[in-house]
Every structure is written in structure tokens, then in C-alpha cells.
Amino acid sequence: MANVNINTKCVQGGYHPGNGEPRQIPIIQSTTFKYDTSEDMGKLFDLEATGYFYSRLQNPTCDYVAAKIAELEGGTAAMLTSSGQAANFFALFNICEAGSHIVASSSIYGGTFNLIAVTMAKMGITATFVSPDATDEELDAAFQDNTKAVFGETIANPALTVLDIEKFAKAAHRHGVPLIVDNTFPTPINCRPIEWGADIVTHSTTKYMDGHGSCVGGAIVDSGKFDWLAHADKFPGLCQPDESYHGITYAEKFGQAGAFITKATAQLMRDFGCTQSPQSAFILNLGLESLHVRMPRHVENGQAVAEFLEKQPQVDYVSYPGLASNKYHALAEKYLGNGGCGVVSFNLKGGRKAAEAFMKRLKIAAIETHVADARTCCLNPATSTHRQMTDEQLAACGIPAGLVRISCGLEDKEDLIADLAQALAGIE
Ligand SMILES: *Cc1c(COP(=O)(O)O)cnc(C)c1O
């Protein structure tokens, strides 16, 4: 579906039934696939033919949905994973090994920060974290001879900083490595990082793509633009023979467009098995069919709620890139032309006590550790995810005790604002 608008790709991309075939994506609920001869199956194991043999590596239902996500992001190949965490791990580990180094924005999802800073460090992969506001000089200084990738989030969860994708892509390319961007919050409806120079895009499909709080999942999309062979010394896994597949060289055999995802499927899925179930992929696709209709409403509600909160006397400050007062507003206008997302964070002057009292009174917004759902939800880190920390420790890491993150759903914005207003009134 090359020549159609992204709205049409959301509805019809990825799966194109033939005459008399099911209109909706079939759920191929089968672990395994049958072959007439051992020769036929042998070709699959040699990566000489494409096809399915075991759903830990690939399943047709998952591949239809991955193909749709590749079309939405403007990439050449994609794969689904069991979660967003698995997507980011695979995207990095596909080109890193013990002794490698990653440059990452410090403003990223806590789970991804732990993955890179703690768990991948145990594998011998080190990282340097840089401010999303780093200058070219500061970025250049973060690179080492063993740097293999740069990582950032288009809109960071939960800090809501906006990544200067072009600046980060240029820095990565000056040092001969790809930029990997987690595009979970804007989705390809509001930003397509590949158009700004990103090489690999990842998603927690658990969030807006699914959009209904139904299935945990992830996705990786390759732009097909990074020339691995031009930097063959840095990427031996792609540019040297894989002994576990009879010595094929991914970058040569599958080319720039296919090497990255083929290697991630053939090696990482084979060995780690973080695969998405066909049932989840089917449900994810139902979400994707309305992504282009839902995202504008999430943004409309987020903008309205942010503007309302900014005027309330109980509110210390509001973070939302769509606000003219926001530090990242200019970057949001550049990269997020259609608006960013429905997640807004704000700090209550009354601190932890006020946040607790406020959230207890909410009737529409539910208290959840989730975001990007059709139903509005909110969270006070000080009394939930970060409750082991003192007010002083919280302030030091930029999460004041009164901070509330609200993920605006698809309800009527007047109702959301009325709910917030009555809850705020209760803490006066
Ligand atoms: C939630 C999230 C993740 C992790 O995704 P899971 O599907 O929960 O594993 C990664 N990145 C971002 C930006 C997220 O919001």
C-alpha cells in the first residue's frame, strides 16, 4: 500500500486477502507448520526459502500486523515482540555484544533505563546517558570507539521531553552508528522518526497502538537506510558469517532492507523466544484499524486538559509539549505537527497529601500504572511507583511529590475537565 494515505494504511495495510479469502486477518493459532519433504523444511532452516516452521520464530498473523506497522512507519521490514521491553532489548542487542557501548538519552522510560543501565551492563554492554538537550559537542563527547547505537524516545515517558531526532540522527551518523527511536507515545500518526533520520523505530504496542488496555506487545521497524556494510568493522553480527546458519552474512544475503529484522528473527527470536501470540497480534490489529481516528482525540483531550490545569490555582506547573509555555514546544511543532499524545503531567502545590486527596476524588480518571488507553487513567509516582523515596529524593530526580501523570482517554473532554475541577475543588 505505497501510494495511499496513512489513514488508509491503518485500516487496510499489511494484509491483502486474495479471492475468497477471509476479509479479517486469520488467527493462525498453530505452533507448527507441516511440510511434504525434509528438503522443503531444510530450505527454511538454511534461510534459503521464506516460510513458517515454528511460531516461536515467526507466525503469519504476527507478520501481517508487523507488515502494517512497517507501512505506517515507512520502514522496509518489521517484527512483533512480546512486549515493548523485548522490542527495545532486541533492537539494541541485535547490534551490541559484550564490550559494546550505547549512547542513550537520559530522558527515557524507567523500564528501558533499567534495561540499559543495569541489565545490559551485566552483559558487558556499557552506556553513556546524555541530556535530550545536549549540544552537538556534548553528544560527540559521549561516543567511544566501541559505540554501536544511539537511543532515545520521541516523547519520553513520563518526562514528556521531545527528542530532537534530526540532531541525534546526525550525531549517530557522524560516528557511523544507527539511531534507534522508541516512538510509542506519538505513534506513526503523529511522528514518523524515519522521515527525520532515525534508522530503527521501536514501539510498546501495549500503549496507543493497542489502545484499549488489552495486550502487552512490542514492535521493531527497520528503515532499511543504514548501510551496515559501510561500517562492517562495527557490526560483525550483520557483516560477518553467522556460523549458526551455515555461514550466511545477513547484510549481504538480505541487503540493507532486510538484514536487521532477519537477523533479529533468526537469532534473537530463535534463542530468546520473546514472541507475540497470534491472538494478541489480532487484537493489536483491531487497535491499529482505528489508530488514526483515536490519536487526534487523545491529543485534543490532552491539550484541553493541559490548558485547563495551567489556569488552576492549586497547580504549580503543567508539562505538555502542546502548551506554548512548554520548553519543548518548538520541537513539538517541528516533529509533532498533528500534536503529540494524550499524556499530561502536572505538579500540585500541596505535594503528596494534595495528590492523594485529589486522586481519591476523581470519578472518571482511574488510578492505574498504565498510559495511552481509551479510558483516562492517572498516577502519582510519589505514592505508587516511587513510594520508597522521600520527598527530597523525589525532588532531586525531577519527580516532585505532588506530580500527577494523567493519560487522557477518549471520553468527552468537558466531562474530563469537570471531573478534574471537582477533584481539585476538594483539596482547597
Ligand atoms: C511502556 C513503555 C515501554 C515498555 O513497554 P511494555 O510493553 O510495557 O514492555 C517502553 N517504552 C515506552 C516509551 C513505554 O511507554
Side-chain angles (χ1 to χ4, degrees), residues 82-86 88 109 112 153 155-157 182 184-185 203-207 216-218 371:
S82 54
S83 67
Q85 286 298 110
N88 283 327
Y109 178 65
T112 313
E153 289 175 12
I155 303 177
N157 175 11
D182 181 332
T184 296
F185 267 23
H203 281 278
S204 165
T205 61
T206 317
K207 312 294 167 55
V216 173
V371 285

Side-chain angles (χ1 to χ4, degrees), residues 156-195:
N157 175 11
L160 302 178
T161 54
V162 179
L163 189 74
D164 191 340
I165 301 173
E166 276 190 322
K167 182 173 76 181
F168 273 70
K170 281 183 188 148
H173 297 160
R174 272 198 300 283
H175 296 271
V177 303
L179 172 65
I180 302 174
V181 173
D182 181 332
N183 196 36
T184 296
F185 267 23
T187 81
I189 301 303
N190 290 341
C191 181
R192 288 178 295 282
I194 291 171
E195 292 173 3

